[in-house]
Amino acid sequence: MTLQEAAALFWPSGLLTTTSLRTAVRDRVLDVAEIAGKLLTNKEAIERMSICRPRIG
């Protein structure tokens, strides 16, 4: 699914947006596949991103 679809599906209240997910991709927190210039992710990647872990730095 696209990042826009993921944001709408998992955070319909708008807590996280497409921009938030792009930031997670940039920070290598969210795994994506880039196909034809589009960033695609899946439910498993969203779940992995959502696991609480200590911040380093």
Side-chain angles (χ1 to χ4, degrees):
M1 74 184 83
T2 66
L3 298 183
Q4 183 177 10
E5 292 168 335
L9 179 63
F10 293 102
W11 297 279
S13 66
L15 179 64
L16 290 182
T17 63
T18 303
T19 302
S20 303
L21 295 179
R22 285 187 186 280
T23 300
V25 171
R26 182 196 69 207
D27 294 344
R28 299 179 185 255
V29 176
L30 177 60
D31 295 328
V32 295
E34 185 172 357
I35 301 173
K38 298 184 186 290
L39 297 176
L40 305 173
T41 192
N42 58 38
K43 181 182 176 189
E44 292 78 17
I46 295 290
E47 289 173 350
R48 281 192 304 273
M49 178 190 81
S50 300
I51 295 172
C52 292
R53 56 187 153 256
R55 290 183 74 171
I56 299 173

